[in-house]
Amino acid sequence: MSAPLFLVEALPTGDTLTLDGPEGHHAATVQRLRTGEELVLADGRGGTAAAVVTAVGRGTLDLRVTSRGYADAPVPRLVVVQGIAKGDRGELAVQAMTEVGVDEIVPWAASRSVAQWRGERGERARQKWVATAREAAKQARRPWLPVVAGAPDESTASVARRIAGAAGAFVLHEGAHDRLTTVDLPATGEIVLVVGPEGGIADHELAAFADAGARTVRLGPSVLRTSTAGVAALTVLATRLTHW
């Protein structure tokens, strides 16, 4: 089994350090790491440091750094515009998409989104997505932490502007003729995928995204839930782009 990964604000500059705070508590108390076991520290921006536990305290670990590394950011960059869903479906989508390699998730206030992110409620909901992405990145041993954009959500107009600046943009839609498995993909830049909410994407939204340069695509004959469509599409892209 690979060494567990813990996210830190900054990697240690020296050869020893004490891992404390929430990550130290999780490592020492929850995962119960012991002296001699190995772990990996990551800054969420590609930098890593492998370390071995030299002592265990109450919610802390003393570590000795054994090696350092850096992973380049994946190219092209994969961005999913996720229509805000009700209940925990959005968090399920964030978790799975992080595990398969999404680089940025944009919460989208689609016209057919049942849940609305407004004010403090919206900021709390967005922070749940941030926390979910963080934990999923640790579970997947990812050195790059996905960004959760939005303040706290994005309008259709702002999504269209994002599409216009992308190297490639695709809207998942059951009525599309083209398949994501066969369309041409850019080798660099940013690929934007748009996933609608439970009620689907409205005609005026499809038109706005098409005007901005997006193509509608489908995955197959089945109509997927909003919580699974994004991860299925990312799996296709990861395979075609040889990220996997």
Side-chain angles (χ1 to χ4, degrees), residues 69-238:
Y70 180 79
D72 291 329
V75 178
R77 193 166 183 268
L78 301 180
V79 178
V80 174
V81 175
Q82 175 67 52
I84 296 173
K86 63 182 180 181
D88 63 353
R89 290 179 182 174
E91 292 165 47
L92 291 172
V94 169
Q95 180 184 39
M97 290 191 297
T98 299
E99 291 176 1
V100 299
V102 72
D103 296 301
E104 183 173 351
I105 302 167
V106 181
W108 170 37
S111 63
R112 294 177 179 171
S113 289
V114 175
Q116 298 294 319
W117 288 9
R118 294 292 182 269
E120 292 183 3
R121 177 187 177 186
E123 186 55 39
R124 287 195 300 270
R126 180 183 175 278
Q127 287 304 316
K128 285 184 179 180
W129 283 27
V130 171
T132 299
R134 181 183 178 88
E135 292 307 309
K138 290 166 59 178
Q139 175 66 35
R141 315 306 201 254
R142 287 191 57 181
W144 282 90
L145 180 63
V147 175
V148 178
D153 54 1
E154 294 293 312
S155 66
T156 296
S158 63
V159 171
R161 288 192 293 271
R162 184 67 177 265
I163 288 171
F170 305 97
V171 180
L172 300 181
H173 192 269
E174 66 272 16
H177 296 290
D178 295 331
R179 292 178 181 267
L180 187 58
T181 52
T182 59
V183 293
D184 292 335
L185 299 176
T188 60
E190 186 173 276
I191 295 177
V192 175
L193 281 170
V194 180
V195 180
E198 296 97 327
I201 302 175
D203 288 343
H204 73 275
E205 293 166 334
L206 286 173
F209 297 155
D211 289 343
R215 294 177 62 180
T216 55
V217 295
R218 64 183 302 146
L219 292 169
S222 301
V223 177
L224 303 183
R225 290 180 179 270
T226 186
S227 55
T228 56
V231 67
L234 285 169
T235 302
V236 171
L237 293 180

